[in-house]
Structures are given as structure tokens and as C-alpha cells.
Amino acid sequence: MSTQGTHDRLVEATRELLWERGYVGTSPKAIQERAGAGQGSMYHHFKGKPDLALTAIARTAEELRGAAERALCGAGSAYERIEAYLTRERDVLRGCPVGRLTMDPDVVANDRLRAPVDETLHWLRDRLAKIVQEGLDQGEFAPGLDPDETAALLVATVQGGYVLARSSGSPAAFDMAVRGALALLHRRADRG
Amino acid sequence: MSTQGTHDRLVEATRELLWERGYVGTSPKAIQERAGAGQGSMYHHFKGKPDLALTAIARTAEELRGAAERALCGAGSAYERIEAYLTRERDVLRGCPVGRLTMDPDVVANDRLRAPVDETLHWLRDRLAKIVQEGLDQGEFAPGLDPDETAALLVATVQGGYVLARSSGSPAAFDMAVRGALALLHRRADRG
DNA sequence: GTCTATATCAGGATAGAC
DNA sequence: GTCTATCCTGATATAGAC
């Protein structure tokens, strides 16, 4: 049983708060309270809010890639793996812990904070594009489908699905958008 | 020439700041500075930050519906009107002034602030669903396409496209996602 | 490593003069 | 209607004791 030290508790508290309230909405005081750590403790372990946030964002990005990869690396056709990714269990109303940071002006304005966000979304698009290409190679999708465009569409569907869900206070709209994407993709598969 | 009064300048300043920095990132002081108005002036015209934000959000929502309607009500096939909407001129890196509010915890937590956001996105989905239905009625799209799911997908594509663009600091990813959506939709049109 | 004390500025608003 | 004064709390740290 690895007891969680103060350092890790600060990072976990920051990860939660960044997800819930974003960077501008997260104060050092709130972090300290959630982590059960004092002022001095936080400033001993981290240089300040940006430093702590960077550590938290990097950790969250890593976890997201892991979760996505688990859905994408399974057996099955390209369509099935894409479906597995799109319909994987999510806490839809919480939104994407990485994507939401793009709406944070202080994150976008800071290259060091934006980098892990950008890298994660690019990794995801590349990963999906490769799967689309596999589907193309297997004759699963009709030729002419652009892997990069399709991958961007799929990631955008998920990110935008969160927006629809949060605006209505219900996950239903997220699911509709995903079904809309899968339906268009699936019909194409029928032709192959 | 209608001279803009203090009331309107406060609303305009708030609209800009909400777009740039969101609700939690926008302070009364910043609003006053941008509007060139004093403390007392602001609290004379509005009860406080939520009141002013509500007025600003309602105004922004109205403008967005107008801009969307202008793209959607044109002549042309259903596909062409959808294409006109997706590719209409946008300041992509600024994101959606309505959709971005869904990432704001204080907006989502306040039913009065969330309502205009939800209504706008629902209006847009309904509007697009009707156009998809028209395309279906004209035999433009293959039967079996679900208008509501497709509409949700299209709105999600735009909202998610902003996320991709802002994370990379370039509008390119937005355009890719849109082309991905149009390509899938277009191939379907070929079958009709 | 953690604590408490202290500092400065901003957030969000009210009171009352003009 | 607009201004200035004032209020209290929170944001974001630094200093130095323990």
C-alpha cells in the first residue's frame, strides 16, 4: 500500500479542480484545502500555480492516452475499434479533462501549459487516422475516405458532444452525436 | 448615428470578455475598464455580475442564431446549405461565444445563465435536423439517415473543431474536421 | 517538510455624495 | 446617472520559525 504523500495529494487535488473549474477558476487555496495541505507545504513542493498545474495536466494527459489506447487497441475491425472508442464509458457531464483546457485563456496563452493538451489531441488524431487507414487497406471503408479528416471529425465529435451534453445538463446529446458519426461511417462500410 | 450609451457599452464589454475569458475569468473591474464606466455606473445599470452576464449572453445568443440562419436559409440543396453553415466565415481561434460557456462551472451551475446557451444549441440542432429531413424528402440523402443524430453530429463537429483549433493554435484542425463531416455526408448524397 | 505570519492586489459589492 | 469611498474576502505569493 503506497501511502500517498503530500506531493501526490496536491497533484490529485489540482487535477480534480482543473477538470471541474478550469485553470482560471482554480485557486491555490482551493487546492490546498482539497489536498489537506498547508500554504507552506504547497510552495515547498511546487514553484507556484503554473508549475503545479503543469504537473497535473501532464498526468491527466497521460491517463487519457492510456484510456483511449485501451479502447483502440482491442481486437475487431477498424469500425469496431472506433466504435469502442466513441462509446467507451465516460463521465459525459464532466467533459474532457484535457479538451476543456483549450477554453482556458491562461492555458492557451502559456505554451508550456498548452503543449501537453496539443500533444494529446494530436496523438489521438494520429492514432485514429491509422485505424481508418487500416480500414481502408482492408477494404472496410470505401476508397477516397481521408484518414486525417475523418480522425479530426471523430475527435471533434467527442469534444463537441461534451459541449452539447453540458449545455443541456444531460448526456443524451453526446450519445446522439456519436450515433450520428457512427451511422455515417457504418453506411460507408456497407459499400466496401 | 446612434451614440452608444453606458448601458450598451457595458453589455458589449461583457460580451467580449465572456468570449475571451469566460465567466469565471471576467471581473466587474475588467468590464468597467473596457467599457470606460465607473463602479457606480455599472451597479446602477445592473444588479451585479450575473445580471450583466445574462444580458450579454442573451444578446450573443441572438446574434449567433442570426448568423447561422443567414447561412442556412439560402438557396440550394440541403447539402449545400449545410456546407454553407459549416464553412461560413468564423474567427475559429476565438471559439464559439456560446458553446465555450458550457465549460464555465458558474454558468452551468446557474439555470438562468445556462438557459440561453441550451436554447441556442437546441435551436441550431432543430434547424439543421429540418434541413436534413428536407434532403431526405428530396431523395438527396439515403433513407435511414437520422435527422436528429446527424444534426447533433454537425453541431458537435463545429464545437469540437474549435477545441482542436485552439489546442494547436491554428484553424487548420477545425477545417479538417469540417471536411471530414462533409465528405461523409457527401458520399451519402451520391447514393441518393 | 510543514507551519504561521505577513504582504499586495484583485474580486465583488454597498453607501452616499454630487 | 455617475463618482468616490469603503468593505470584506480571496488570489497568489514570500519570510522565517519549527
Side-chain angles (χ1 to χ4, degrees):
Chain A
M1 284 297 144
S2 71
T3 300
Q4 210 179 21
T6 300
H7 177 103
D8 288 350
R9 288 208 320 282
L10 283 164
V11 174
E12 288 309 303
T14 305
R15 298 214 301 137
E16 290 172 18
L17 283 164
L18 285 180
W19 196 353
E20 290 168 24
R21 305 198 40 86
Y23 184 85
V24 296
T26 295
S27 71
K29 170 178 257 199
I31 293 169
Q32 291 150 208
E33 280 167 0
R34 188 168 299 206
Q39 284 270 83
S41 194
M42 173 182 145
Y43 284 98
H44 169 74
H45 289 284
F46 298 94
K47 284 197 285 291
K49 177 175 164 177
D51 181 34
L52 180 42
L54 180 55
T55 304
I57 291 171
R59 179 85 184 75
T60 295
E62 193 188 329
E63 255 195 21
L64 186 70
R65 282 193 295 270
E69 181 60 28
R70 278 190 291 285
L72 288 170
C73 73
S77 66
Y79 175 85
E80 284 165 347
R81 279 176 287 157
I82 289 169
E83 182 182 34
Y85 168 69
L86 289 178
T87 61
R88 80 181 176 88
E89 187 150 340
R90 297 166 194 275
D91 210 339
V92 170
L93 287 180
R94 296 182 77 188
C96 176
V98 171
R100 74 106 57 232
L101 296 170
T102 63
M103 293 304 140
D104 231 301
D106 291 3
V107 170
V108 170
N110 182 330
D111 283 345
R112 293 176 64 83
L113 293 180
R114 188 172 52 80
V117 175
D118 189 27
E119 284 161 14
T120 301
L121 260 15
H122 260 102
W123 172 88
L124 191 52
R125 284 164 62 189
D126 284 352
R127 193 73 186 78
L128 281 162
K130 270 178 206 138
I131 294 177
V132 171
Q133 183 61 57
E134 284 174 34
L136 245 15
D137 292 343
Q138 303 297 321
E140 194 181 333
F141 299 136
L145 191 66
D146 184 296
D148 291 322
E149 287 178 7
T150 306
L153 166 66
L154 293 170
V155 177
T157 301
V158 168
Q159 294 295 326
Y162 288 128
V163 171
L164 300 186
R166 285 174 62 90
S167 87
S168 63
S170 153
F174 180 98
D175 296 334
M176 287 201 75
V178 162
R179 282 199 302 276
L182 285 174
L184 284 180
L185 209 56
H186 194 238
R187 301 289 172 141
R188 298 229 47 188
D190 287 348
R191 309 174 72 200
Chain B
M1 285 295 142
S2 71
T3 302
Q4 208 180 20
T6 301
H7 176 103
D8 288 350
R9 287 208 320 282
L10 283 164
V11 173
E12 288 310 302
T14 304
R15 298 215 299 138
E16 290 172 18
L17 284 164
L18 285 180
W19 196 352
E20 291 167 23
R21 305 197 42 85
Y23 184 85
V24 297
T26 296
S27 70
K29 170 180 257 200
I31 292 169
Q32 290 150 207
E33 280 168 0
R34 189 169 298 207
Q39 284 270 81
S41 194
M42 173 183 145
Y43 284 99
H44 169 75
H45 289 285
F46 298 95
K47 284 195 285 290
K49 177 174 164 177
D51 182 34
L52 181 43
L54 181 55
T55 303
I57 292 171
R59 178 85 184 72
T60 295
E62 192 188 329
E63 255 196 20
L64 186 70
R65 282 194 295 270
E69 181 60 28
R70 278 190 292 284
L72 288 170
C73 73
S77 66
Y79 175 85
E80 284 165 347
R81 279 176 287 156
I82 289 169
E83 182 181 31
Y85 168 69
L86 289 179
T87 61
R88 79 182 178 89
E89 188 149 339
R90 298 166 193 275
D91 210 338
V92 169
L93 288 180
R94 295 183 77 189
C96 175
V98 170
R100 73 108 55 233
L101 296 170
T102 63
M103 292 304 140
D104 231 302
D106 291 4
V107 170
V108 170
N110 182 330
D111 283 345
R112 294 174 65 82
L113 292 180
R114 189 172 52 81
V117 175
D118 189 27
E119 284 161 14
T120 301
L121 260 16
H122 260 103
W123 173 85
L124 191 52
R125 285 164 62 189
D126 283 352
R127 194 70 187 77
L128 281 163
K130 271 178 205 138
I131 294 176
V132 171
Q133 183 62 57
E134 284 173 35
L136 247 14
D137 293 343
Q138 302 296 320
E140 195 181 333
F141 299 137
L145 190 68
D146 183 296
D148 291 323
E149 287 178 7
T150 305
L153 167 67
L154 293 169
V155 177
T157 300
V158 168
Q159 294 295 326
Y162 287 128
V163 171
L164 300 186
R166 285 174 62 91
S167 86
S168 62
S170 153
F174 180 98
D175 296 334
M176 288 202 74
V178 162
R179 281 199 304 274
L182 285 174
L184 284 180
L185 209 56
H186 194 239
R187 300 291 171 139
R188 298 228 47 186
D190 287 347
R191 311 174 71 200

